[in-house]
Structure formats: structure tokens, C-alpha cells
Amino acid sequence: TGVYTIKLHVSLAGLCADSTTATIKVYPGFFPDYSTLPPFCKGEPVSFRDQTVANYGTVNNWRWDFGDGAATGDTSKVRLPTYTYNTAGDYTVTLVSGSSLGCSDTISKQITIKETPVLTKPAQFPNDTLICIIDTLQLKTNAPGNFVWSPNYMISSLGAASPLVSPDVPTKYYATYTDTSGCKTIDSVTVNVKSFVTVSAGRDTTICRTDAISINTISDGLYFSWNPSTYLSSDTAMRPI
């Protein structure tokens, strides 16, 4: 480490001698590095943290390239930038950092951006449903992660995965779901409230033997049980054939 003056002496067969000097500054110990903070999700801002170490001088300039070929503004010159990827995939992020003494070096790392999570119905998130006005219903979910519900109306817990609800008017409940990777999505379930359930199987009718007809049931019910079940395509469908 230090500042050195070097000298070069030249001559032509011992004649026409001349010399020149130059300064060399030696500052060893410059280590570029950075870290990233989750969530690593499509549409969510990813935070980048410079961790460059300089044994001499101070780190005072940065040039980031976030490796997003689909964008034109995927660069930054601040120390602690954020960047949002709009497409899932693997990206190579490059940092060129420099110090007040002129040292500079480059480091590249790969980051994987995940898709927005999808809650399947009814396996992981309930379908729209209905209850009688005095009933209580459990909104059952089955997805690894966290749920936050709204609105705070006739619900047992806003942070429970499968809360109990007992609204007295039709209510749409929204759930903000965060998976184990920190990626988020929002889904909703409408709980209709009825004083009673109505059902109409349609008018009596006549068909020829071997013909088929669809029973045009009109109802606000959710579950059905037909009797007798003979000749029906399904004894639990709303509109069997």
C-alpha cells in the first residue's frame, strides 16, 4: 500500500538521454458485493443492498444492471435501489462499484423471480356460497402461507387461515394471501345471506321413450338431492339429464 514514483530513463546508444516519471497509487483490498431482499415475485419491488468493502477510501459510486432485457430502464446509480420485474424468470444482476481512490470492480449474481401465486378453488380457497341468516360458516382455505381478511364484519379473525363468518347481509370477503416465498395475491368469496332457499324444478313435461331431457332447475341453493335417482345422470346435480 502506498504512493510510488516510478522513473523511466531512455537513451539512443548512450546519447539523447531523457527520463520521465509517473505516480502509482496502490490501494489493495477492494471487494464488490451485494445482497437482495425478498419477495422475489413478479410485480413486487426487489430491494438490492450494496455490500462492497474497501480497505482504503470510501465506496462512492455504483452502476447497477438488473438484467431485464424486456425493459429499457433496468439500470440504477444509487447505492440501495429497488427494481420490479414484470415477468417471472431468471435474471443476471451486475454491480460495478467504485471508491474515492479510483478502485473499481464488478460482481454478477443470478436472481429468480416467481409467478404470482394462484389459489385453486375449492381445493385451496372457497367458492362463492350462501348461508341462512342465523347461520355461521367457516371459510376454509388449504394453502401454505398467510391470509389477511377484510372487511372486519362478522368475522372471527382477520388473520386466521379459515375464519368463521356470520354476516346478516350479503358480504364479499377479500383475502390477501402471502405464500411461503413472500409472493402475494388477492382473492374474494361472496357469502350470500338468505332467509330461506327457493327451488323450482320446472313444469311437468312429456318425452318419448329413449329421449333425454335436461331438468331446468331454478334455485339459489348450493346442494341438491334427487329422489328417486332412477334414470338420472346425477342425483346431486342442479340440472341433471
Side-chain angles (χ1 to χ4, degrees):
T1 303
V3 179
Y4 302 88
T5 299
I6 62 171
K7 183 177 182 179
L8 173 64
H9 182 275
V10 295
S11 66
L12 181 60
L15 303 174
C16 302
D18 202 355
S19 64
T20 185
T21 60
T23 300
I24 292 182
K25 300 177 180 180
V26 181
Y27 303 111
F30 187 83
F31 309 101
D33 196 12
Y34 70 86
S35 62
T36 53
L37 299 178
F40 306 119
C41 314
K42 182 177 72 174
E44 296 283 345
V46 180
S47 297
F48 296 87
R49 294 294 179 262
D50 168 60
Q51 295 180 328
T52 301
V53 174
N55 290 347
Y56 299 91
T58 58
V59 182
N60 64 356
N61 62 86
W62 307 268
R63 285 184 289 132
W64 298 85
D65 185 336
F66 302 112
D68 188 355
T72 56
D74 64 331
T75 60
S76 177
K77 291 185 177 181
V78 301
R79 182 188 177 196
L80 307 175
T82 60
Y83 186 76
T84 300
Y85 294 91
N86 294 318
T87 304
D90 296 327
Y91 299 89
T92 299
V93 180
T94 300
L95 167 63
V96 181
S97 54
S99 76
S100 58
L101 295 177
C103 296
S104 179
D105 206 349
T106 303
I107 185 171
S108 296
K109 297 181 183 180
Q110 190 175 74
I111 184 174
T112 298
I113 302 299
K114 297 184 178 181
E115 290 282 358
T116 302
V118 176
L119 294 170
T120 60
K121 298 183 178 185
Q124 295 180 320
F125 196 79
N127 289 317
D128 292 344
T129 186
L130 66 83
I131 61 172
C132 292
I133 196 167
I134 60 172
D135 286 350
T136 297
L137 173 71
Q138 186 174 33
L139 300 177
K140 294 182 180 180
T141 65
N142 184 24
N146 298 317
F147 288 85
V148 177
W149 296 85
S150 66
N152 187 12
Y153 179 71
M154 306 297 284
I155 186 170
S156 61
S157 172
L158 296 179
S162 300
L164 300 173
V165 296
S166 53
D168 51 6
V169 294
T171 304
K172 177 177 282 191
Y173 291 96
Y174 294 88
T176 299
Y177 168 67
T178 306
D179 68 12
T180 54
S181 298
C183 300
K184 294 182 179 181
T185 191
I186 297 178
D187 209 334
S188 65
V189 54
T190 297
V191 180
N192 199 3
V193 180
K194 295 286 186 178
S195 299
F196 54 88
V197 175
T198 61
V199 61
S200 171
R203 296 180 177 180
D204 294 344
T205 188
T206 300
I207 62 172
C208 294
R209 185 190 300 180
T210 72
D211 284 352
I213 187 173
S214 176
I215 301 178
N216 188 26
T217 309
I218 299 175
S219 175
D220 50 14
L222 295 178
Y223 306 102
F224 302 88
S225 177
W226 293 88
N227 184 54
S229 59
T230 308
Y231 304 121
L232 289 178
S233 60
S234 170
D235 61 356
T236 59
M238 180 178 179
R239 296 185 175 94
I241 296 172

